[in-house]
Amino acid sequence: QVGKGELRKIPVPANRYTPLKENWMKIFTPIVEHLQLQIRFNLKTRNVEIKTCQETKDLSALTKAADFVKAFILGFQVEDALALIRLDDLFLESFEVTDVKPLKGDHLSRAIGRIAGKGGKTKFTIENVTRTRIVLADAKIHILGSFQNIKMARTAICNLILGSPPSKVYGNIRAVASRAAERF
Amino acid sequence: AVPGIVRIQTCLRVAGAAAARPECFLSVQDGLAADFRAMTKTLYDLNKRSNIVRGGPLKELMIENFDEEQIWQQLELQNNAVLDFFKKSIAKDAEDEDLCLLSDQEAEGSDAETSSDKEFEDNIMEAETEQMNVYTKDKHKTKAKEKQSKLKSKSLMQKYSDEDSDIDFDIEALEQQTKTAKETTLRKKGRKSVVDDKFFKLAEMETFLEHAEKEDKEEEDDDDDINYFEDIISDDEEDSEEAKVKPIKSSRDMTYKDFFDSVDDDDGDDDLVANDAEEDQEEEADSAIEEQNEESMSEFEDMDEVVEHMRSKEASKKVTFNLPDDSETEHVTEVQLEKEINPNEIKSSFEKRQEKMSKKIKSLEEALLEEKPWQLKGEVTGQKRPENSLLEETVLFDHAVRMAPVITEETTFQLEDIIKQRILDEAWDDVVPKEKPKEEAFEYKKRISLDHEKSKLSLAEIYEQEYMKLHQQKTEEEENPEHKEIQEMMDSLFQKLDALCNFHFTPKPPVPEVKIVSNLPAISMEEVAPVAVSDAALLAPEEIKKKNKAGDVKTDAEKTPTDKKRERRRKKLRKRMRQREKEQRQKLLEKMKPEQGTKLSKKAAAAKLKRLTKEGKASLLKDEGKDKALKSSQAFFSQLQDQVRMQIKDASKLKKKQKKEKAISVHKLKL
């Protein structure tokens, strides 16, 4: 049983305001029904606020809900972010392209282009092979998945940033993923 | 004078009584202390009365209510006067040339001829007194005795203290005597050899050499050994018994007498030697007169030496060396002497055994005490052991490397047995050729296919499906074993039934158990698009055409000369193979069906052509060279020219021929 009511606030940037409005049903339903928490969007402060109440059974529910909303705000789909609630061992990692290699101007743009691929092809390939979800927001990269998979995806993305061609990256991740699959 | 003597006698009696029971001095003896004090007083007063020594402040010794320290100090006051007196008297006597030592020596000699131990003690005492006489050179025996007694008392005083045990004068003498008794200084009565002479004894020489060798070895260790030719007298010498060196003279003053006993008599003039000894002692005494205690000690030692000489009078005259460590050899000699004392007795077997045992023990002990042989001395370099000594030793050492196996008959037999057995078992050690695993084309499919599109399932659903798959597998495994068992049992049953009812029954060949495991990834299974459209069923290009070993397909321009040559070779090889096949087929055909064969063969065709041309049914076309390719204009024109010339020739020939033919043909005219 939770004692005092705890509150979490997640700020919403302007560009995610409309998607939030559109997906509000899908967001609050699992939080309220499955996690027994209270949620609201504070229009003045532009924050999503989640609060525990008397019906809340699990203390970790609040953290999960906060993570779920944060993932959506970052750019993930609701269904993908929902996995955070359903599975315990999923994590969210964020880093910047310039963390890997100091790039500026056109080089930076080219690196981002390499990561995305034509029509998002490369990004989707990495997602499919490593069973993760990637959000590429300008120079920021967010990866959602289990620990090992995040590692694989991160390696692939870093290789792309550092300049290796996509075909090579495909080969590598394929090999790694097959090895991981064999183990289990 | 008489009361003086009486008093002295009483003193002596008291001292003797006290000395007889030395063990009581272990504790404090107050009564004896008082007696001694009284004794001291009487002696002191006597001395003062006799007025031999002049000077000194105190007329009599005060002992009542006086401390030991105070009594000592009173005595000390007397010392200076006494010393002066002594100096004067000795100086006087030294100048006196009439005096000599011989008379005294004879007296000593006569005394020393008796060789019993009891008399020895007396001899020491008397000799001592005579020594005193020698020192003081005073003919007054009483005075000398007084002085002697005083000296005794003084030495007594010096040794006396309340709490320590007294070393009585007599006790001291006793001690000395026991010491000397140990150090018997018999000259060697060794084995007698042919070489022996008045001067020379072989046995002595041998012992001396051994001794010298030992000392040579000790020289390395001992730096304190005395250098025989040095003039230094160390302080230890005078105290230690071993330093029985004669008062060392400087090397310049050494004479024959110092090295050798006198040559003439065997019972010789030890007196002479003793005289010399005593002269030397006197000289020393002059220099060392202040240290009375040490003097007395050295006196005893010198006395001992004199006595030694006297004892050796019995032995024959020989060459002797002035050795500092005579005690060792003398030990040995004493033992030897004792052995030889009873040569004539018959010994019982037990005694013999005992003797042998003791000999053995002795030899073992000596061996233990001696220096170890080089074999037992740890690390020994070549310099430290005798030459080629290692050759005679059997040396064991560890080998770091495994030794090569020794090949003997037995080992060869063993090997042969193994070989024979192997041959019988047919257990060869053949090399199994390695095969490169060839990856088939459809293996590509099994690998994870790369989907370049956004996945249709969300992440949650993907994980959900994985989870379900894992759990489903578990359930599958649980079910199967039961089915398997049932199946097996039924099979065996039916087999037996068949065998029973069917005589011509041949059992079915064993079916290899095939388990179909679908290894396709989940994504390909869940392909939503229709099969016709999806490219999952399509073959990969490698499945259609095998990839070239060289790599990519090249155009003629891209090919390197090696590639071209390779291709040419392959083409020729193919052609060669085809040709061979053809020939083989032909051969076969000829054998099987000769008619058909001959029709088609080359030989047959050539033969046919010849026949035909001969007969005239066929004519060979002339090769006018028109088929040749004309490469240059010159060639073209020259050919053209030739052609025209040929034509003209032919034409002319034809005309000639026609004419000829017209002219001649009678046959045709029919005339």
Side-chain angles (χ1 to χ4, degrees), chain A residues 100-120:
Chain A
V100 179
K101 189 174 178 183
L103 298 165
K104 282 179 278 194
D106 276 352
H107 301 296
L108 181 63
S109 312
R110 272 194 285 271
I112 296 167
R114 265 200 305 276
I115 297 170
K118 193 173 282 183

Side-chain angles (χ1 to χ4, degrees), chain B residues 384-417:
Chain B
K384 290 188 188 152
R385 55 180 162 79
E387 205 183 306
N388 289 340
S389 54
L390 216 70
L391 294 172
E392 289 133 34
E393 290 290 314
T394 47
V395 188
L396 293 169
F397 49 88
D398 294 327
H399 296 269
V401 192
R402 221 204 308 176
M403 304 277 284
V406 178
I407 298 171
T408 57
E409 269 192 65
E410 291 163 4
T411 55
T412 48
F413 282 135
Q414 276 178 354
L415 278 171
E416 282 172 13
D417 287 336

Side-chain angles (χ1 to χ4, degrees), chain B residues 436-642:
Chain B
K436 188 174 173 182
K438 225 178 178 183
E439 203 187 309
E440 294 190 33
F442 69 84
E443 296 268 335
Y444 270 78
K445 266 198 212 168
K446 289 189 183 175
R447 293 215 201 156
I448 294 169
S449 58
L450 287 177
D451 189 11
H452 294 290
E453 281 157 38
K454 183 173 173 144
S455 86
K456 288 15 177 233
L457 302 162
S458 72
L459 198 67
E461 282 161 5
I462 290 173
Y463 280 112
E464 191 185 318
Q465 279 171 357
E466 240 188 74
Y467 181 80
M468 294 306 285
K469 214 201 294 182
L470 273 169
H471 282 262
Q472 267 178 12
Q473 270 183 1
K474 283 184 193 171
T475 50
E476 268 179 33
E477 282 171 12
E478 280 168 25
E479 281 173 25
N480 269 335
E482 286 180 9
H483 282 224
K484 262 196 203 170
E485 267 187 64
I486 293 166
Q487 196 64 37
E488 277 173 25
M489 283 161 69
M490 280 189 72
D491 281 338
S492 64
L493 176 67
F494 283 129
Q495 212 173 25
K496 285 172 190 164
L497 286 170
D498 285 338
L500 283 169
C501 57
N502 188 355
F503 283 110
H504 303 289
F505 167 71
T506 49
K508 277 194 257 178
V511 179
E513 283 187 324
V514 179
K515 185 179 172 188
I516 297 165
V517 175
S518 63
N519 220 356
L520 298 169
I523 290 170
S524 65
M525 279 181 85
E526 287 141 22
E527 193 73 30
V528 176
V531 182
V533 177
S534 80
D535 56 336
L538 290 175
L539 288 172
E542 282 78 13
E543 290 172 7
I544 295 164
K545 182 181 188 306
K546 222 175 200 172
K547 208 175 177 190
N548 194 5
K549 183 180 165 186
D552 302 328
V553 180
K554 290 186 186 173
T555 58
D556 283 342
E558 282 181 356
K559 282 182 191 159
T560 61
T562 11
D563 292 330
K564 289 180 191 167
K565 283 187 184 154
R566 195 193 299 131
E567 279 202 15
R568 187 178 155 75
R569 268 184 254 129
R570 284 172 93 202
K571 185 174 80 177
K572 287 177 88 172
L573 182 78
R574 265 185 256 128
K575 197 161 186 188
R576 216 179 298 139
M577 299 307 287
R578 256 183 262 146
Q579 190 67 21
R580 277 204 201 126
E581 277 176 23
K582 207 174 173 186
E583 280 175 11
Q584 275 192 343
R585 264 187 280 125
Q586 270 290 0
K587 273 188 193 168
L588 254 166
L589 223 82
E590 277 180 22
K591 283 181 188 172
M592 308 300 267
K593 301 170 189 175
E595 299 157 349
Q596 277 184 11
T598 49
K599 239 195 216 175
L600 301 164
S601 72
K602 214 176 184 178
K603 278 188 203 169
K608 208 175 183 182
L609 183 71
K610 212 176 177 183
R611 211 180 351 117
L612 282 169
T613 47
K614 270 191 181 169
E615 282 175 19
K617 285 183 184 173
S619 59
L620 289 167
L621 288 168
K622 269 191 206 170
D623 188 6
E624 288 175 21
K626 282 182 187 171
D627 303 332
K628 252 195 248 173
L630 297 167
K631 290 202 181 140
S632 64
S633 57
Q634 191 185 20
F636 170 73
F637 282 112
S638 61
Q639 200 185 27
L640 191 66
Q641 187 73 17
D642 292 338

Side-chain angles (χ1 to χ4, degrees), chain A residues 4-75:
Chain A
K4 278 195 285 182
E6 283 180 12
L7 188 71
R8 294 286 165 89
K9 293 184 192 168
I10 298 116
V12 181
N15 61 336
R16 292 304 282 170
Y17 187 59
T18 322
L20 182 69
K21 267 205 298 192
E22 283 164 15
N23 294 317
W24 182 244
M25 267 302 271
K26 283 194 265 178
I27 288 169
F28 83 76
T29 316
I31 288 177
V32 170
E33 282 176 26
H34 300 303
L35 299 174
Q36 281 99 37
L37 294 164
Q38 289 172 349
I39 185 167
R40 73 166 183 189
F41 181 64
N42 192 337
L43 286 159
K44 254 193 248 173
T45 58
R46 295 294 176 104
N47 283 355
V48 174
E49 288 168 10
I50 307 172
K51 200 171 75 167
T52 57
C53 63
Q54 284 163 349
E55 283 93 40
T56 315
K57 296 185 190 79
D58 199 6
L59 194 58
S60 61
L62 187 60
T63 326
K64 281 191 188 175
D67 286 341
F68 162 60
V69 175
K70 205 186 293 180
F72 175 77
I73 299 297
L74 281 175

Side-chain angles (χ1 to χ4, degrees), chain B residues 412-428:
Chain B
T412 48
F413 282 135
Q414 276 178 354
L415 278 171
E416 282 172 13
D417 287 336
I418 293 169
I419 292 166
K420 282 181 207 164
Q421 193 57 39
R422 280 278 189 93
I423 293 168
L424 289 169
D425 294 339
E426 298 201 10
W428 315 115

